[in-house]
Amino acid sequence: MATKVAVVTGSNKGIGFAIVRGLCKRFDGVVYLTSRDTGRGKQAVADLEKEGLHPKYHQLDITNKQSVETFRDYIKSKYDGIDILVNNAAIAFKNAAPEPVSVQAEQTLFVNYFSLLSTCDILFPILKNGARVVNVSSSMGHLSKIPSEALRNRLKDEKLTIPELSGLMQQYVDAAKQGTHAAEWGNSSYAVSKVGVTALSNIQQRLLNDRDIKVNSVHPGYVDTDMSSHTGPLTIDEGASAPLFLALDAPDSVKGQYVWFNSKIVDWTSEKPEKE
């Protein structure tokens, strides 16, 4: 019988690390911890091995197509595909970051949206039938974070294509460079990037319905990590709970959904999400 394979991007620390830990405890197959920095990734594997867990390691930088292609070719040659893909790798500038909005917009969208998309483009062809994809979004990825009603209507349009969505994301970056973004898009590049991830997840599900592949986006909660400057009340294991629910436990009927840290499906298009 073919070996089952789970992959978590950006998983040498934080929520990604805890997702690997949870998968190692419960998933009937091999679990790949991946990271951009090899040293940090191998240290994370060593830390989990001290807990009696045995993830495998492979270098993976989602911003580098060659790195993703190398990883794809490795998985393809060693196994027959991927059963669980958790797209966790992301960046966030701190509130006090000195970089101008133009730089923050370009870099945040490049990593959190465009690099996630290119990673999916490269890895989706080796997803097995029945596979589950979990795209880590955020409460900031709720559609209500976009001030413009016209933009919200575009983003939730069920006929929106990935090239059209990417065009909208690029429009935001261009507007940020010109300083004209705030009225329509708001003031958070992170929010725009995660709205893009949630919208992308919905489109990906539509495109994959005929392959019995489930794609969902998830808000893992406000977690005590480097990204939150350790201000979140949840532990990383609590933050891994909803991603693990989607990867392992959710009924097959849960697809194309936006799920919050309490494993509840939230209406992405509602005026306001429930409280975090």
Side-chain angles (χ1 to χ4, degrees):
M1 200 168 136
T3 304
K4 289 188 171 181
V5 178
V7 174
V8 186
T9 70
S11 50
N12 63 286
K13 64 178 183 175
I15 296 167
F17 178 82
I19 294 169
V20 170
R21 177 192 274 143
L23 286 168
C24 284
K25 288 177 178 176
R26 295 189 48 218
F27 179 61
D28 182 23
V30 297
V31 181
Y32 272 86
L33 185 153
T34 71
S35 65
R36 189 173 47 178
D37 182 286
T38 303
R40 289 176 183 170
K42 290 187 171 173
Q43 181 58 55
V45 167
D47 290 343
L48 288 170
E49 283 175 340
K50 287 177 196 158
E51 298 178 23
L53 304 173
H54 301 286
K56 295 189 179 292
Y57 177 74
H58 201 287
Q59 193 274 343
L60 179 62
D61 178 357
I62 69 163
T63 68
N64 181 322
K65 285 188 181 177
Q66 191 175 354
S67 170
V68 184
E69 287 167 352
T70 298
F71 178 69
R72 174 202 62 200
D73 294 346
Y74 170 81
I75 293 291
K76 216 167 152 183
S77 66
K78 196 163 172 64
Y79 311 97
D80 59 349
I82 295 172
D83 298 272
I84 293 172
L85 173 61
V86 182
N87 286 306
N88 170 73
I91 64 165
F93 283 88
K94 306 295 183 196
N95 288 336
E99 291 86 352
V101 171
S102 57
V103 172
Q104 293 190 32
E106 187 159 53
Q107 292 186 9
T108 303
L109 271 287
F110 172 64
V111 176
N112 295 4
Y113 174 79
F114 289 104
S115 295
L116 184 149
L117 172 59
S118 66
T119 297
C120 290
D121 286 345
I122 294 164
L123 297 182
F124 274 19
I126 64 165
L127 290 176
K128 297 183 205 167
N129 281 342
R132 293 183 172 208
V133 178
V134 182
N135 291 329
V136 178
S137 183
S138 164
S139 62
M140 300 292 281
H142 191 276
L143 192 58
S144 62
K145 300 297 180 186
I146 303 298
S148 162
E149 185 180 359
L151 278 174
R152 292 198 304 272
N153 288 336
R154 285 290 312 281
L155 288 161
K156 69 182 180 184
D157 183 348
E158 295 205 349
K159 293 180 182 161
L160 184 69
T161 65
I162 291 176
E164 287 167 348
L165 174 59
S166 295
L168 289 171
M169 295 292 105
Q170 187 59 49
Q171 276 179 36
Y172 165 72
V173 174
D174 295 342
K177 288 180 177 177
Q178 291 159 18
T180 59
H181 60 287
E184 289 194 316
W185 291 97
N187 281 310
S188 170
S189 295
Y190 184 77
V192 174
S193 74
K194 291 300 189 178
V195 166
V197 169
T198 313
L200 175 65
S201 306
N202 298 341
I203 301 170
Q204 288 174 331
Q205 181 61 62
R206 287 205 312 269
L207 296 174
L208 290 166
N209 272 337
D210 61 346
R211 284 196 55 203
D212 183 31
I213 291 170
K214 276 71 73 178
V215 184
N216 293 285
S217 56
V218 64
H219 160 45
Y222 194 30
V223 180
D224 178 1
T225 62
D226 288 350
M227 195 178 271
S228 71
S229 300
H230 298 282
T231 55
L234 301 180
T235 66
I236 57 172
D237 291 305
E238 288 170 331
S241 172
L244 287 167
F245 165 74
L246 287 171
L248 298 170
D249 303 317
D252 285 345
S253 57
V254 178
K255 51 189 182 179
Q257 301 289 351
Y258 175 55
V259 172
W260 274 38
F261 64 95
N262 52 9
S263 299
K264 274 177 69 175
I265 293 170
V266 169
D267 181 358
W268 184 61
T269 64
S270 63
E271 286 191 20
K272 290 265 169 131
E274 59 188 271
K275 283 201 166 165
E276 198 172 346

